[in-house]
Amino acid sequence: ALAQFQKSLQLDPKLVESWRSVGLTAMALYRPGNESPENVKYATTAIEAFQNYLKGFPDDSKVEDYLVTTWINLGRFDDAIKYLKQQRSAHPENTKLTSAIVNVMIKGGMYREALEFANSYARNDAPIYYLIATNSWSKSYNDPTTPYEERVLVVDLGLQAVQRAVEVKPNYMEAMVYYNLLYREKAKLDLDPKKKEFWTAQADEWRNKAMALREK
């Protein structure tokens, strides 16, 4: 199918719709994690095809999603972020683009950049801060390969994010739950026994707040 769609463009380069089909078939052939030249070529073919298609149909949000997903699968997070930032500048009314940028930054392990971007462009968007907080906790709790220093940094960034989420939305019960969980991670990582007790007490306080709010 890929060869036939490419042939259609050779016969009629103006058939812009075919670029979408080239991109979809190449994306279907690509296998994330396989770094063989042939497999990577499928991904780069898909990226080029989606970009060419979007020149003719710039408002096709689904193809934009395919393009960004392919960049992410290929580990080209910077390209995905650059594209989304360009789209955000062109369409400032589309608030979903801000969330998408933060999401890609998180997938790329750029937690500090995600928080800085949120602080600059989404100060009153509690769900974006919640997204950073939940992923920060998950990175520390679920990824045993994360070095100690990085875990400490990520947990602190998560606490900054969840603090802002609760400031924006005081009755944000889900955020309170992660306030509790992040403090428990901080207690695990702190080597000072007294500080461990202090962070655990903070965790208990936020757990109790969340439970009280749920009961209410």
Side-chain angles (χ1 to χ4, degrees):
L2 177 59
Q4 293 301 312
F5 287 129
Q6 289 172 325
K7 186 176 180 180
S8 74
L9 283 161
Q10 291 172 3
L11 294 170
D12 184 0
K14 294 180 181 179
L15 194 63
V16 181
E17 295 91 335
S18 278
W19 282 116
R20 180 179 184 274
S21 300
V22 170
L24 289 172
T25 49
M27 187 173 70
L29 290 164
Y30 173 66
R31 294 291 176 265
N34 180 346
E35 297 182 3
S36 68
E38 181 183 10
N39 190 57
V40 171
K41 187 178 179 181
Y42 286 136
T44 55
T45 297
I47 289 168
E48 181 184 354
F50 291 141
Q51 287 176 317
N52 286 332
Y53 172 81
L54 287 168
K55 290 175 184 176
F57 299 93
D59 297 326
D60 193 325
S61 58
K62 275 192 172 293
V63 172
E64 284 187 337
D65 289 343
Y66 298 148
L67 174 61
V68 171
T69 298
T70 308
W71 268 322
I72 291 171
N73 288 338
L74 202 54
R76 289 169 55 179
F77 300 103
D78 288 341
D79 287 329
I81 292 167
K82 180 181 178 181
Y83 174 80
L84 289 169
K85 283 184 175 180
Q86 290 172 343
Q87 291 299 101
R88 186 181 179 279
S89 295
H91 306 283
E93 75 286 352
N94 188 347
T95 56
K96 291 183 179 179
L97 289 168
T98 303
S99 179
I101 291 167
V102 169
N103 199 34
V104 174
M105 287 176 173
I106 290 170
K107 288 181 183 294
M110 294 175 271
Y111 294 89
R112 184 188 296 279
E113 291 85 347
L115 183 58
E116 289 174 352
F117 188 82
N119 286 338
S120 297
Y121 301 104
R123 284 291 292 171
N124 295 315
D125 194 329
I128 284 184
Y129 284 99
Y130 177 71
L131 176 67
I132 297 170
T134 56
N135 280 276
S136 297
W137 172 82
S138 181
K139 178 69 174 176
S140 178
Y141 185 82
N142 291 316
D143 187 355
T145 65
T146 306
Y148 173 80
E149 293 79 7
E150 185 179 347
R151 286 181 67 191
V152 171
L153 174 64
V154 167
V155 168
D156 285 341
L157 290 170
L159 282 167
Q160 292 177 47
V162 79
Q163 178 182 359
R164 182 58 188 165
V166 174
E167 286 173 355
V168 174
K169 187 179 177 181
N171 290 331
Y172 202 162
M173 187 194 72
E174 294 85 355
M176 292 178 183
V177 170
Y178 276 88
Y179 226 150
N180 152 50
L181 293 173
L182 282 160
Y183 269 130
R184 294 191 192 283
E185 285 301 294
K186 192 167 181 66
K188 288 193 317 190
L189 295 168
D190 205 314
L191 303 179
D192 186 328
K194 289 187 177 180
K195 287 186 177 179
K196 282 181 179 290
E197 291 181 8
F198 176 77
W199 300 131
T200 301
Q202 294 291 307
D204 290 343
E205 181 180 336
W206 282 104
R207 179 199 61 197
N208 294 339
K209 285 181 179 179
M211 291 175 66
L213 190 59
R214 184 186 65 179
E215 289 302 316
K216 182 179 178 181

